[in-house]
């Protein structure tokens, strides 16, 4: 109660400070705000004792992890590979062997550190990865299509969005975000909130061999804060606190209009330096050191690195916009010819507002997980829905100082670097093969009625799709949150279980002659195995983080690399051809990301009550993959799984029985897979001229759209490749 009153008072004060006239009044109000903040911090401190009391990430027993490793890999290896792996693993785990030594060191690390795997994991997952951030690392949230009637509308939308982001930042500064509690499996435990506090305060600094995640220390007194607005590849400093006063939405619109006018001036345009940030990390680190030779550039870089976030005012892409093209544009901005230079990929939060209504957020991933990004983005969209823009007319002329354009001194060397970055980005643009599909036949409610976990069911469907496309199972990554623990990020649910393989074979290989009841049993067994693994992962007992910890510790101790990490199975296990993640939303939007290996798929899904949004990505350069084909086969598999459930549950419920018969007539596809082998028993061969056309849904304008409208790895040998 006290806490909520304090928050309200703090928000009220920040608004009131905006309207204070004299400097004296403003200083007085800031002193009040300072005291309230202190009280809030104290209250938050007491409240967050629960969160601080979060347990440390447990360390699984060595034997359990090694046994599970063998179990996970057996069906992904040839017999010969597996026999060798079994031998290597036994040697590693033998009493008095290397494994025991490393495990004892890991136990010491667990005792000393808040989270024994966090640093290792961060470097392995992100900071060591040399691949360019767009597509390969930075996920995006795609907003509902906006319908801007005039250029001013997109600026109004941006002003409204910034206003919401500043309000959210006020909550963060006051440490006023309520502690979250787990939902779904093992619901109810408090979650670590640490990632939220990096949303607007961190920066991924490129390095020649490894990047650094720089975090600004939070300060109690408000500092002059600014955001960077990118417009026509130019970068502008938009101060959001002027004379101790936080700008309101009308001020923000005034400033954005000035920026748009300044960006229009062709004579003053500077080269698209942002393109450099879209390059490989080593290339960008080198270009940055060239830029740093000039003091003008150093100042500009400093302003960008210290900003709260970017707002990218994009030109219209000229493409026909549907879910797939909007996801694609959000992932790579269309290359240098479109908005590719209108980005700064090192910054965690880049809000994109396209003149053609293509809007969303691009996120640098090392600082936080997609779920945190979703929570923040949903807050902003709800803020915009809940407080429709007041800016009916254009903003009045204000005395605010004009935003500052960031200057760049460009030598011929820099021009050459820009040309190479543009070329490399264009290759990435040409290579991305996206397909976003809204599966409308059913959603998680149908699955829950089958008394199955929706997440596990969708994972089994993804296994079925891959097997039907390629005739084999592959190492699969599914992110599992470990925020139940201090500094928890994610571990991996290895969804390519032996049980899933048995099911997908039965559903695909007609010659096995499995009947429906047997298939249903296999489906249940696959779902049960997947659910059990999920529980292991979310309780910190999965194997990937543990194996990573053992490997990194051996490296740190300068030991000769143990055989287990040189073994082919270790490479295969970390080559995640299927990189999957559930990113659910409560507001209409969806998440997309790229594949993590050249011959892989990125498969992100957003389960809703009566539909599921899938965002599937792959690379055109791989002759083995095709996103549209994968989606088509995935949809077919989901229909087949539903039919199987309906057929097998018919006996128990007469209504469902009738439904089942109707559905059976409707699809009748199960037999298709039984009567003939998979369409392509080995890998897919592409036919780029005539890609199979699968539903590309362009949903009609939704409530959310209407309301948000304003008035008019390919990594080094053994590092992991995953999402
Ligand atoms: N019968 C009926 N209902 C069931 C069920 C069953 N056998 N099993 C689960 N359900 C219900 C759950 O109670 C839950 O209900 P709710 O919607 O009312 O909350 C719902 O189905 C969803 O549960 P489930 O499908 O099992 O998944 P989950 O929500 O527990 O999610 C993970 C599982 C692994 C995705 C989740 O734990 C996680 O880690 N999420 C984070 C992923 C992430 O980090 N993504 C971003 C990476 S950048």
């Amino acid at each position: 109660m006290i806490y909520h009153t304090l928050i309200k008072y703090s928000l009220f004060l920040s608004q009131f400070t905006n309207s204070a006239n004299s400097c004296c009044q403003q200083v007085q109000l800031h002193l009040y705000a300072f005291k309230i903040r202190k009280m809030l911090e104290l209250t938050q401190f007491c409240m967050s004792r629960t969160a601080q009391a979060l347990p440390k990430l447990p360390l699984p027993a060595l034997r359990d992890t090694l046994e599970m490793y063998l179990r996970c890999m057996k069906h992904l290896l040839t017999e010969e590979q597996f026999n060798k792996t079994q031998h290597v693993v036994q040697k590693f785990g033998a009493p008095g062997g290397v494994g025991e030594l490393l495990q004892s060191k890991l136990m010491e690390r667990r005792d000393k550190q808040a989270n024994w795997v966090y640093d290792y994991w961060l470097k392995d997952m992100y900071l060591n990865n040399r691949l360019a951030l767009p597509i390969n690392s930075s996920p995006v949230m795609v907003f509902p299509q906006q319908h801007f009637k005039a250029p001013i509308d997109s600026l109004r939308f941006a002003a409204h969005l910034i206003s919401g982001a500043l309000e959210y930042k006020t909550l963060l500064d006051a440490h006023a975000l309520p502690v979250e509690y787990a939902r779904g499996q093992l619901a109810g435990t408090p979650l670590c909130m640490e990632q939220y506090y990096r949303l607007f305060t961190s920066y991924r600094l490129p390095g020649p061999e490894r990047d650094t995640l720089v975090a600004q220390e939070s300060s109690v007194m408000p500092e002059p804060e600014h955001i960077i607005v990118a417009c026509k590849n130019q970068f502008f400093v938009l101060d959001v606190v002027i004379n101790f006063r936080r700008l309101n939405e009308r001020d923000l619109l005034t400033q954005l209009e000035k920026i748009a006018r300044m960006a229009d001036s062709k004579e003053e345009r500077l080269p698209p330096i942002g393109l450099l940030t879209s390059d490989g990390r080593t290339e960008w680190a080198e270009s940055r050191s060239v830029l740093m030779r000039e003091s003008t550039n150093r100042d500009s870089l400093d302003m960008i690195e210290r900003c709260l976030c970017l707002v990218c005012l994009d030109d219209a892409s000229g493409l026909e916009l549907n879910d797939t093209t909007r996801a694609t544009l959000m992932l790579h901005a269309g290359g240098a010819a479109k908005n590719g230079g209108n980005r700064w990929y090192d910054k965690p939060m880049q809000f994109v507002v396209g003149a053609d209504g293509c809007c969303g957020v691009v996120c640098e991933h090392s600082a936080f997980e997609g779920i945190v990004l979703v929570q923040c983005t949903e807050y902003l969209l709800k803020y915009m829905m809940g407080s429709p823009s007041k800016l009916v007319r254009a903003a009045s002329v204000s005395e605010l100082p004009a935003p500052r354009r960031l200057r760049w001194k460009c030598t011929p060397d820099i021009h050459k670097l820009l040309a190479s970055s543009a070329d490399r980005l264009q290759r990435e643009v040409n290579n991305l093969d996206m397909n976003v599909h809204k599966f409308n036949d059913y959603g998680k409610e149908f699955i829950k009625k089958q008394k199955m976990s929706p997440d596990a069911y969708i994972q089994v469907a993804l296994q079925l799709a891959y097997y039907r496309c390629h005739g084999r199972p592959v190492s699969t990554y599914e992110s599992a949150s470990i925020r139940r623990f201090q500094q928890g990020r994610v571990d991996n649910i290895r969804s390519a279980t032996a049980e899933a393989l048995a099911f997908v074979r039965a559903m695909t290989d007609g010659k096995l002659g499995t009947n429906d009841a047997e298939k249903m049993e296999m489906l249940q067994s696959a779902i049960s195995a997947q659910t059990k693994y999920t529980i292991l992962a979310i309780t910190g007992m999965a194997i990937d983080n543990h194996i990573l910890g053992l490997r990194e510790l051996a490296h740190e101790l300068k030991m000769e690399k143990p055989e287990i990490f040189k073994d082919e199975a270790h490479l295969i296990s970390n080559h995640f051809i299927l990189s999957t993640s559930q990113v659910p939303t409560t507001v209409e939007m969806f998440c997309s990301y790229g594949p993590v290996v050249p011959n892989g798929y990125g498969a992100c899904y957003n389960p809703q009550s009566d539909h599921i949004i899938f965002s599937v990505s792959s690379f055109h350069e791989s002759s083995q993959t095709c996103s549209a084909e994968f989606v088509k086969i995935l949809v077919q598999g989901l229909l087949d799984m539903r039919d199987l459930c309906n057929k097998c549950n018919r006996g128990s419920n007469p209504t469902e029985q009738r439904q089942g018969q109707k559905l059976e007539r409707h699809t009748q596809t199960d037999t298709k897979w039984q009567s003939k082998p998979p369409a392509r028993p080995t890998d897919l061969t592409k036919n780029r001229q005539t890609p199979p056309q699968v539903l590309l849904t362009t949903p009609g304008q939704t409530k959310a759209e209407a309301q948000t409208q304003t008035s008019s790895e390919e990594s080094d040998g053994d590092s992991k490749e995953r999402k």
Side-chain angles (χ1 to χ4, degrees), residues 151-152 154-155 229-232 234 236 253-266 269 313 315 403 405:
I152 185 80
S154 61
L155 298 185
V229 178
C231 186
K232 302 202 184 299
Q234 311 295 293
F236 299 88
L253 176 59
T254 307
Q255 298 298 71
L256 290 175
E257 283 184 281
K258 289 181 198 165
I259 287 173
R261 275 198 298 276
M262 288 159 82
D264 262 343
S265 155
K266 291 211 170 93
R269 263 190 214 161
L313 303 175
D315 286 339
R405 184 195 301 257

Side-chain angles (χ1 to χ4, degrees), residues 184-185 365 370 444 448 451-455 479-481 581-582:
Q185 300 287 347
H365 208 340
K444 66 178 177 174
K448 281 192 205 174
K451 301 191 175 46
M452 292 172 182
S453 145
D455 187 71
S479 340
S481 171
S581 189
Q582 180 187 145

Side-chain angles (χ1 to χ4, degrees), residues 404-422:
R404 184 159 65 86
R405 184 195 301 257
L406 290 180
R407 304 272 156 201
W408 305 103
K409 207 158 187 187
C410 285
T411 58
D413 279 353
I414 294 174
H415 281 286
K416 265 194 225 146
L417 291 166
L418 276 171
S420 329
S421 297

Side-chain angles (χ1 to χ4, degrees), residues 127 203-207 210-214:
L127 305 181
Y203 185 81
R204 178 162 167 181
L205 198 63
R210 172 188 296 160
D211 292 357
T212 311
L213 181 59
V214 183

